Amino acid sequence: MTGTGSTSVAVIGGGIAGVSVAHHLLQVDPGLDVVLLEMEATLAHHTTGRSAALLLENLGTPSMRILSSASLDHLRHTPEDLVDAPLLAHRPVLHVGTVEQDEAVDRMLAEGIETATTPTIEIDIDEAMRLFPPLRRERVHRAIVEPDSADIDVGALHQSFVRGFRRAGGRIATSTRVDAATPDGDGWRLDTTDGPVGVDVVVNCAGAWGDVVATTAGVAPVGLQPFRRTAFMVDGPGLDTTGWAFAGDIDHQWYLRDDGPQMFCSLAEENPSEPCDPKPEELDVAMAIDRLNEATTLGIRSVNSAWVGLRTFAPDRSMVIGPDPDRPSFIWCVGQGGTGIQTSAGAGRLTAELAVGGSPAAVFAGLDLDEVRPGRFRSRQ
Ligand SMILES: Cc1cc2nc3c(=O)[nH]c(=O)nc-3n(C[C@H](O)[C@H](O)[C@H](O)COP(=O)(O)OP(=O)(O)OC[C@H]3O[C@@H](n4cnc5c(N)ncnc54)[C@H](O)[C@@H]3O)c2cc1C
């Protein structure tokens, strides 16, 4: 399949990164011929479909935070023809610490004063209990709230990019795995499970498989490491949960929030994994239940459903965005880590702007491109 427009582009991966890049490519250059290739039968099957769906602006490296800020316009003022309802629902985030965790609370407050884009405020225990009533009061020694956070409707956000992309003439091929990419003249020949595809430019949005895709294209990997994170649903307390916060341990031992009549819970762990479709381990779920029952009065006994997602980081935990220095027609957009949903609009736009040889828009002011440059790991060797 060769593109019919002036330049043809294949975006590999139909998670939130891939659909945002595909949408933004056609926004920055409507003349491009863009196809999105996804190996699974449905889009968003992997990490994108397994997140905690939170917008927490004070999360991640400085470049991640700028990409989050650059995403706010799409999240808050999404063009009406791309969504049916608002993408954000306000929800404060509450971090609690026991007596033994005093230092961690001080660290988060100091970091908040120094670098936070939105407020990080210490609150008293009564206020913490009001924000998340099931907490065991005797275990809450100190508490911090980030009041400007929100839940993201991840399905609708993903769909907003798909709608924009399709309406601009983009094509999506599911059940199409890219097994190899071979340089072909100035472009690429992709061997896929649905036959060969010829394109001028490849964009690697393959999530946990980002280095696998690069290696099959003869491009040096950047050192991506996927980490497991377990999540599960349990019955809620049967109370009116209006106004409840997203609550978590200050040292990332657990977190949870209400989700309709259920509670969404996580062990918040970070265990290395190969790129794969990971399954929950009974021991991890049991450990999370123990911790949650110690910290709350929810009395969790059984789990309704459980899953694991892979949060994939580059070695310095910033994203990898832009043309490969050794193969400029191979573009990277990987290493989203734990902020790939909230940064998706910004990361997609930046990738598209760099892919067409443009400079970053004003919304990326303050972003040091060296922090996301794909060649940054190679130049150190
Ligand atoms: C438990 C958990 C909680 C999280 N909470 C949050 C949160 O609150 N807020 C937030 O912003 N982020 C959160 N994240 C992180 C976020 O989910 C990820 O950063 C984001 O989903 C990554 O998106 P992606 O498109 O890069 O990866 P993916 O969604 O994994 O997409 C990659 C796609 O590439 C496809 N692919 C791979 N190889 C090939 C190939 N060779 N050919 C064709 N297709 C291929 C895969 O099938 C997959 O669909 C969380 C993650 C987890 C696991």
Side-chain angles (χ1 to χ4, degrees):
M1 180 171 59
T2 304
T4 49
S6 52
T7 303
S8 55
V9 185
V11 175
I12 303 176
I16 199 81
V19 296
S20 177
V21 168
H23 166 66
H24 284 96
L25 279 168
L26 290 178
Q27 293 290 303
V28 299
D29 184 350
L32 294 174
D33 177 20
V34 186
V35 63
L36 183 142
L37 307 173
E38 166 54 50
M39 67 179 176
E40 302 292 350
T42 52
L43 304 178
H45 172 82
H46 289 285
T47 309
T48 296
R50 308 177 191 200
S51 86
L54 194 66
L55 166 63
L56 186 60
E57 285 181 68
N58 299 330
L59 203 59
T61 62
S63 58
M64 301 279 215
R65 294 179 190 207
I66 291 173
L67 292 170
S68 294
S69 302
S71 302
L72 292 178
D73 192 48
H74 184 89
L75 289 168
R76 289 186 181 144
H77 312 291
T78 327
E80 268 177 28
D81 59 331
L82 301 187
V83 282
D84 301 321
L87 294 177
L88 297 182
H90 174 251
R91 182 193 291 275
V93 170
L94 176 68
H95 309 273
V96 291
T98 58
V99 174
E100 294 80 30
Q101 292 173 308
D102 239 5
E103 272 179 33
V105 175
D106 287 337
R107 251 196 325 272
M108 182 176 275
L109 281 173
E111 196 191 313
I113 290 161
E114 216 177 289
T115 58
T117 5
T118 56
T120 304
I121 304 163
E122 180 156 18
I123 54 172
D124 64 28
I125 296 169
D126 284 345
E127 179 65 359
M129 294 304 298
R130 194 190 63 72
L131 282 169
F132 201 77
L135 287 171
R136 284 190 194 279
R137 191 184 176 97
E138 67 276 15
R139 287 186 53 91
V140 183
H141 174 58
R142 290 173 72 190
I144 289 175
V145 70
E146 296 185 64
D148 292 348
S149 306
D151 290 342
I152 305 174
D153 185 336
V154 178
L157 172 63
H158 185 274
Q159 191 56 32
S160 72
F161 297 132
V162 170
R163 271 194 206 174
F165 176 55
R166 282 213 163 106
R167 281 186 194 162
R171 289 165 296 131
I172 295 178
T174 50
S175 304
T176 305
R177 191 181 63 229
V178 177
D179 288 327
T182 314
D184 185 11
D186 286 341
W188 296 89
R189 176 199 149 100
L190 307 182
D191 292 322
T192 82
T193 45
D194 197 33
V197 178
V199 288
D200 299 313
V201 174
V202 169
V203 190
N204 178 8
C205 301
W209 290 268
D211 273 347
V212 176
V213 164
T215 305
T216 65
V219 170
V222 294
L224 295 174
Q225 177 61 63
F227 292 99
R228 291 167 59 89
R229 181 155 285 188
T230 304
F232 52 95
M233 292 287 193
V234 301
D235 285 344
L239 302 170
D240 177 5
T241 57
T242 310
W244 284 21
F246 180 108
D249 173 79
I250 193 101
D251 280 324
H252 312 292
Q253 297 290 300
W254 52 266
Y255 60 67
L256 81 172
R257 66 163 157 77
D258 59 284
D259 187 321
Q262 303 190 86
M263 301 294 291
F264 166 95
C265 310
S266 175
L267 179 61
E269 84 277 31
E270 201 168 283
N271 294 332
S273 165
E274 293 301 307
C276 63
D277 191 351
K279 302 290 174 234
E281 300 279 348
E282 263 178 45
L283 270 178
D284 289 337
V285 175
M287 193 188 302
I289 291 176
D290 276 353
R291 290 181 187 173
L292 289 165
N293 283 341
E294 256 180 45
T296 73
T297 54
L298 287 167
I300 300 168
R301 285 208 205 93
S302 61
V303 165
N304 299 335
S305 57
W307 64 92
V308 175
L310 296 180
R311 297 155 73 250
T312 298
F313 290 89
D316 58 6
R317 295 175 85 91
S318 278
M319 277 188 219
V320 179
I321 294 180
D324 189 90
D326 300 321
R327 270 261 153 203
S329 59
F330 186 94
I331 317 285
W332 294 82
C333 182
V334 297
Q336 277 75 1
T339 56
I341 306 297
Q342 64 178 34
T343 54
S344 59
R349 180 170 175 186
L350 181 66
T351 306
E353 285 168 352
L354 297 177
V356 302
S359 341
V363 73
F364 300 110
L367 176 70
D368 180 356
L369 277 183
D370 281 349
E371 257 203 53
V372 297
R373 209 164 39 88
R376 66 192 189 272
F377 307 108
R378 271 168 241 170
S379 55
R380 273 195 215 137
Q381 289 161 5

